[in-house]
Amino acid sequence: VPVDGSHWLSMREVLDGLSQKGHEIVVVAPEINFFMKPTKNFIMRMYPVPFTQEELDSHFFKNIENFFKEGSFLERFLRTYEGMKNMSAILLSTCRHLLYNKELVRYLEESKF
């Protein structure tokens, strides 16, 4: 169960190597994400989340934009805090929708994931 972003980009190298050695790999990921896309080297088990790609992208790019905005320390701190709070809420929602997805959890249990 990878985390999107740089963690996933690093993990892809490892998964490709394991696949070349004959391992069967199953990746569990939310349907809406930045970089986790299916390849021939592993099986993807996707699950739905309550936000769109546009919403995820918007939060991400707004955080980057806010990072470079000028302002007092307090203004920058509050913008950063608000952005981190929003992204944390998205990540928590993603985790919640994985754990409460009965069909996917049943599949994982039955396959000894």
Side-chain angles (χ1 to χ4, degrees), residues 36-103:
M36 295 184 280
K37 306 299 178 213
T39 73
K40 61 180 174 58
N41 292 333
F42 50 81
I43 299 165
M44 292 284 298
R45 294 294 297 199
M46 308 289 275
Y47 60 94
V49 290
F51 50 85
T52 65
Q53 187 70 53
E54 291 78 23
E55 291 170 319
L56 181 64
D57 291 345
S58 174
H59 282 292
F60 178 75
F61 290 115
K62 185 175 180 181
N63 282 343
I64 296 220
E65 182 182 298
N66 283 336
F67 184 75
F68 292 103
K69 278 186 182 176
E70 295 198 16
S72 70
F73 173 78
L74 182 58
E75 289 170 330
R76 290 181 293 137
F77 175 82
L78 291 175
R79 278 195 311 263
T80 301
Y81 171 76
E82 191 65 29
M84 294 300 288
K85 191 170 84 171
N86 291 336
M87 285 307 287
S88 293
I90 288 173
L91 291 173
L92 179 62
S93 174
T94 299
C95 292
R96 186 178 296 122
H97 280 79
L98 166 61
L99 296 175
Y100 289 110
N101 186 319
K102 292 178 181 176
E103 179 184 327

Side-chain angles (χ1 to χ4, degrees), residues 1-3 5-17 27:
V1 181
V3 176
S6 62
H7 296 88
W8 171 246
L9 298 176
S10 299
M11 186 181 278
R12 276 280 306 270
E13 297 281 326
V14 174
L15 297 181
D16 290 343
V27 174

